[in-house]
Amino acid sequence: MQSPLPEKIPSEMQITDCMAQLVSKNSTSYGEVVQKYARLRLADFSELLKEWQNEEYAAKLGMPTLPQVAKMLHKGNVSPEQGKKLAAFLQQTAKQGNTTGALYLAYLCAKGLFIPQSLQKTAQCLRFAINQGDWRATRFLGELLIAVPLAARELVGDEIQAEATRWQSKNNHISSEKVEHSCRRFYDATPAIKFLARSKLEQAVQQGSPSVQQRIKGLSVLGELPSTTPPKQFQSISNWLDLQFLQPQEKYSPRADKDIVFLPDNVPLLPLGDDDEKPTWHKPAMYGLMLLVAVLIFTVLLQIVMRT
């Protein structure tokens, strides 16, 4: 497997122009590379920001709420100099093991506030907090996948690639190039990304979130999350690769009826030529003609017998 590709971040002009198109027309002429950054900036995570200020939740996790940070973000009109200081402060607190600081830093990276927008750095901050057992980070990752499925490769690419690498080590007759190509298709499979987002939210519940279960129910009703378990291939990259490379091909079994010929799926039935089959009206006409000839022959024979 190849190492993760470097993140291709669009220009600020492209992102802002794409945002303007999405707001005014609900569509855009920009491709997915630009769209995911624009859509992420437009996404509303205000409920999460409120949750991060909850003293009870933070206390159970053994973390502070950093109310001054919340106040600055809520204030909005922060000067560039203040923004730089805020980002530096959050980087320092995160390095000291403060998962609330890592959450806010991930938020700045996701939105491009005071620091360059970066999906991969967003994921790095969240992985740190998730590994510390902070369910708020796990929920944030799930919410990001729901808001911008196009960003799945940057947000969860490391864990997908790690699982794919383990799979390939057990199936080393499959080339790395083929596995990588199949992984790219996995990111484009909507049921797979929706299931992954739901899995993240369910993980947050297991980590102790008191609010996410209700959130899952609401999103399932809206269709943003799957209400039922999808087919197996969408549940993990390992299952996906199994289906792509290891599942045996189904074969047709000949029937006892030798008149029936089974053709491969990829061989189309050829159209019948003019000489292959007569029009449907020919058979009734032929039968009628034969009946008329029989009647005439019977009439002639009857007349011969009567004369004798």
Side-chain angles (χ1 to χ4, degrees):
M1 289 288 292
Q2 299 177 358
S3 57
L5 297 174
E7 185 174 5
K8 296 180 180 179
I9 303 176
S11 68
E12 185 66 23
M13 184 179 68
Q14 289 176 315
I15 296 173
T16 53
D17 189 35
C18 183
M19 289 171 62
Q21 291 181 11
L22 290 170
V23 170
S24 62
K25 299 184 294 186
N26 199 30
S27 63
T28 177
S29 59
Y30 287 94
E32 293 181 355
V33 173
V34 179
Q35 277 192 54
K36 53 190 169 187
Y37 292 89
R39 291 184 182 277
L40 192 51
R41 290 195 188 183
L42 294 173
D44 182 11
F45 299 115
S46 57
E47 289 300 316
L48 295 183
L49 294 176
K50 291 179 182 178
E51 195 168 66
W52 299 349
Q53 298 175 51
N54 188 298
E55 294 283 354
E56 182 181 353
Y57 295 168
K60 288 182 178 180
L61 292 166
M63 292 293 160
T65 57
L66 302 180
Q68 293 302 318
V69 174
K71 184 177 180 180
M72 288 185 69
L73 292 177
H74 181 71
K75 182 181 177 183
N77 57 340
V78 178
S79 68
E81 185 64 28
Q82 290 176 318
K84 288 182 181 180
K85 290 181 179 180
L86 174 61
F89 169 75
L90 292 175
Q91 289 173 345
Q92 185 62 32
T93 56
K95 287 180 180 179
Q96 294 172 353
N98 188 320
T99 57
T100 305
L103 282 174
Y104 280 116
L105 187 59
Y107 179 79
L108 297 189
C109 290
K111 290 287 191 177
L113 293 173
F114 317 127
I115 54 177
Q117 188 177 16
S118 171
L119 296 172
Q120 289 183 349
K121 289 182 178 179
T122 299
Q124 291 173 4
C125 294
L126 292 179
R127 277 198 302 272
F128 165 77
I130 290 171
N131 291 337
Q132 301 299 315
D134 194 326
W135 58 263
R136 300 173 300 177
T138 310
R139 178 185 178 180
F140 190 18
L141 181 55
E143 297 282 359
L144 287 168
L145 291 170
I146 294 167
V148 191
L150 295 173
R153 186 180 183 94
E154 289 82 7
L155 293 174
V156 294
D158 283 353
E159 63 181 88
I160 295 295
Q161 187 173 27
E163 184 179 350
T165 300
R166 290 193 296 269
W167 183 92
Q168 200 214 358
S169 67
K170 298 176 183 177
N171 302 278
N172 51 23
H173 61 287
I174 308 296
S175 69
S176 298
E177 291 75 15
K178 289 182 178 180
V179 173
E180 175 63 28
H181 179 71
S182 186
C183 287
R184 288 198 294 269
R185 293 169 55 200
F186 181 80
Y187 294 118
D188 294 331
T190 300
I193 302 307
K194 284 190 174 185
F195 182 76
L196 185 58
R198 184 185 181 102
S199 298
K200 295 302 179 185
L201 296 186
E202 290 176 341
Q203 182 184 349
V205 174
Q206 295 171 0
Q207 289 177 317
S209 169
S211 59
V212 174
Q213 188 63 56
Q214 191 63 33
R215 174 68 170 162
I216 293 174
K217 292 180 181 179
L219 290 170
S220 299
V221 170
L222 294 173
E224 296 292 333
L225 291 178
S227 56
T228 58
T229 303
K232 187 177 180 181
Q233 68 265 28
F234 299 119
Q235 297 177 29
S236 71
I237 187 62
S238 295
N239 292 344
W240 176 269
L241 294 172
D242 284 345
L243 179 68
Q244 299 295 314
F245 299 111
L246 302 183
Q247 180 172 306
Q249 298 294 319
E250 294 183 1
K251 297 181 180 180
Y252 287 108
S253 299
R255 294 186 179 182
D257 190 346
K258 297 182 180 180
D259 293 347
I260 301 176
V261 178
F262 288 90
L263 295 175
D265 286 340
N266 59 343
V267 178
L269 291 174
L270 297 176
L272 294 173
D274 294 337
D275 298 332
D276 291 330
E277 185 178 346
K278 300 297 183 182
T280 55
W281 56 268
H282 272 216
K283 289 185 178 180
M286 188 179 298
Y287 294 149
L289 180 61
M290 292 173 62
L291 180 60
L292 180 60
V293 171
V295 170
L296 290 174
I297 294 174
F298 177 77
T299 302
V300 171
L301 290 174
L302 182 60
Q303 289 178 354
I304 294 172
V305 170
M306 289 181 67
R307 287 177 184 176
T308 58

